[in-house]
Amino acid sequence: MKKIFFFVVAMMVLQACKTTKEEDYKRASTGAVNSLYVVVSNDMWNGKVGDKIRSYFAAPVEGLSVEEPMFSIKQIPPSIFADTKYSRNLLIIQKADEDAAGISEDLYAEPQQVAIIKGNSEEKILELLDINAPKMIENFRDHEVLEAQERMITSESKEKALLNEFGITLKLPTTYIITTQKDKFFWIRRQIQKYEGGLLVYEVPFDSVPKGEAVKSKMIADSLPTPVDGQLSDFIVSMRDSIGKAHVPGRNPETMYMITEKGFAPSIKTLTIDGREAVESRGLWEMKNFIMGGPYVNYMIADEANNRYIVIDGFVFAPSIDKRDYMFELEAIVKSIKFKEDADFDLKKYGLDKK
């Protein structure tokens, strides 16, 4: 059976959902970050199709101690679709004579992502979900990162501080404060009631990694045979623990400092950030000899031009409240990184010139 995944045009949605005529302009989309409206009949939502949708789009977020869904989902029957068609993220499921699956952009509002699955039976719809849901999730998440970055009210002075120290910039919201700035180490914190989040920024030389480890002196991904390489995981844990002991103390710095929780195996995957190979690691941290901890996400970004990895470690302490969106904000900040060697980097914005 031929697997179908292609970009659909607006006509498919118009025919599928019986919507009213569009205006000549696109209005602003609505919806909280990481929210998803699912347009599907009540019968399918309450049956196998709904179970399949939830298994993919409401799957638990990696690296959290308490399960939270990837997306906050709200089901909408097709009869009232017109009332919600301006939502930023839409998933439309419908029985139809033809089988099709795809993603379209900015159909009714901007920015907007609309994923569509049409099948001539529930069995076909289930099959198309299995084939296409992972790609649709990746698309939604990538655009949510961009949306989160667009919503940030950033601080140019903090960007310039990172540029001067590391040759990089990050979109840092004004709510984040650089509380520690030492030689090649920044601790950037956000503190509000019941929540504390932070980013540790530092660098690791390529040749600091012992020979024979999964991480070599060149690109990380080239030497990563599986997504859960034990040597790579051990290296990242050791690196995090040494930084925590040196720079993230507890009430008693001699006996209390941040370490990686050993009872929770970190997840590891490779990806590309700003055109560079990177490794993402997610797990749990704790304060040694003190009841305190939470989730973290660590990124090692290969910077061959400067013979180093830029390491950015985001972590959250928020007992008794949901942490998904706080962790997502940290991810969006990291993925906003720009290196001054980038061809499109505007040094003049920061009062500097290329040498």
Side-chain angles (χ1 to χ4, degrees):
M1 187 174 296
K2 184 177 180 180
K3 296 182 179 180
I4 306 172
F5 193 95
F6 57 88
F7 284 90
V8 294
V9 294
M11 186 59 69
M12 178 184 293
V13 183
L14 295 172
Q15 292 173 343
C17 302
K18 311 294 185 184
T19 58
T20 57
K21 183 179 179 180
E22 276 297 308
E23 302 290 343
D24 292 334
Y25 65 92
K26 300 288 178 62
R27 57 182 281 181
S29 59
T30 61
V33 172
N34 294 320
S35 63
L36 174 66
Y37 281 77
V38 180
V39 183
V40 64
S41 70
N42 293 335
D43 287 343
M44 282 198 284
W45 180 250
N46 294 321
K48 292 182 179 179
V49 172
D51 290 342
K52 181 73 72 174
I53 292 169
R54 289 184 287 274
S55 73
Y56 280 113
F57 295 90
V61 176
E62 278 189 305
L64 300 184
S65 57
V66 178
E67 287 191 1
E68 295 182 45
M70 185 181 305
F71 296 103
S72 298
I73 294 178
K74 184 173 183 180
Q75 181 252 342
I76 301 296
S79 60
I80 61 171
F81 171 71
D83 297 333
T84 58
K85 67 181 181 180
Y86 301 113
S87 302
R88 193 174 62 260
N89 297 319
L90 289 169
L91 171 62
I92 299 172
I93 308 289
Q94 182 182 328
K95 284 185 179 180
D97 293 335
E98 57 181 303
D99 302 327
I103 301 173
S104 194
E105 190 168 335
D106 299 343
L107 287 182
Y108 308 111
E110 293 179 342
Q112 186 183 55
Q113 297 296 306
V114 181
I116 304 168
I117 289 182
K118 298 169 64 176
N120 59 22
S121 66
E122 287 196 12
E123 289 71 23
K124 185 62 180 181
I125 289 172
L126 291 170
E127 178 187 337
L128 290 173
L129 276 166
D130 283 330
I131 295 169
N132 297 293
K135 180 65 176 178
M136 290 175 171
I137 290 170
E138 180 182 0
N139 182 82
F140 281 135
R141 290 199 81 257
D142 287 347
H143 282 83
E144 287 299 85
V145 166
L146 295 176
E147 176 65 17
Q149 292 171 350
E150 284 296 316
R151 295 186 181 191
M152 293 175 184
I153 301 174
T154 58
S155 169
E156 190 171 304
S157 63
K158 298 186 187 80
E159 292 181 29
K160 191 169 182 178
L162 285 165
L163 180 62
N164 291 337
E165 187 71 22
F166 297 101
I168 64 169
T169 61
L170 295 170
K171 284 190 173 182
L172 283 173
T174 54
T175 51
Y176 284 76
I177 300 172
I178 299 174
T179 58
T180 302
Q181 182 175 350
K182 299 179 180 178
D183 183 39
K184 300 302 180 183
F185 176 84
F186 275 30
W187 184 354
I188 307 168
R189 303 172 81 168
R190 180 188 177 194
Q191 292 178 295
I192 58 176
Q193 188 177 13
K194 297 183 179 180
Y195 164 76
E196 179 176 345
L199 289 163
L200 309 179
V201 185
Y202 52 99
E203 63 181 31
V204 177
F206 275 141
D207 58 8
S208 69
V209 182
K211 292 181 180 180
E213 291 282 358
V215 185
K216 302 294 184 182
S217 60
K218 290 294 180 183
M219 305 299 281
I220 298 173
D222 292 342
S223 56
L224 184 62
T226 67
V228 289
D229 186 283
Q231 291 178 316
L232 178 58
S233 177
D234 290 346
F235 174 79
I236 293 174
V237 168
S238 177
M239 175 184 67
R240 292 193 73 258
D241 289 353
S242 64
I243 290 294
K245 185 174 183 178
H247 298 293
V248 190
R251 294 179 180 178
N252 183 341
E254 296 298 321
T255 60
M256 299 178 185
Y257 45 86
M258 176 186 281
I259 59 173
T260 306
E261 185 175 315
K262 302 303 187 289
F264 188 93
S267 65
I268 296 177
K269 71 175 184 180
T270 58
L271 68 163
T272 301
I273 299 177
D274 193 35
R276 292 165 171 82
E277 296 288 342
V279 167
E280 175 193 281
S281 174
R282 292 178 182 267
L284 298 178
W285 65 274
E286 61 182 346
M287 189 65 68
K288 186 177 177 65
N289 297 320
F290 190 71
I291 302 175
M292 183 178 184
Y296 75 84
V297 58
N298 178 285
Y299 292 92
M300 293 180 62
I301 305 170
D303 179 17
E304 287 193 293
N306 295 293
N307 197 40
R308 63 178 180 173
Y309 304 113
I310 287 290
V311 183
I312 308 178
D313 195 294
F315 61 96
V316 163
F317 175 64
S320 303
I321 62 175
D322 292 341
K323 303 168 183 60
R324 178 195 67 186
D325 292 344
Y326 293 127
M327 292 298 295
F328 188 78
E329 179 180 68
L330 295 173
E331 177 183 345
I333 291 172
V334 175
K335 290 182 177 178
S336 73
I337 192 170
K338 298 294 293 182
F339 288 73
K340 69 178 182 180
E341 286 84 9
D342 293 344
D344 60 347
F345 191 89
D346 185 9
L347 279 173
K348 291 183 178 180
K349 173 183 176 182
Y350 305 96
L352 303 172
D353 293 315
K354 289 187 180 292
K355 294 181 180 180

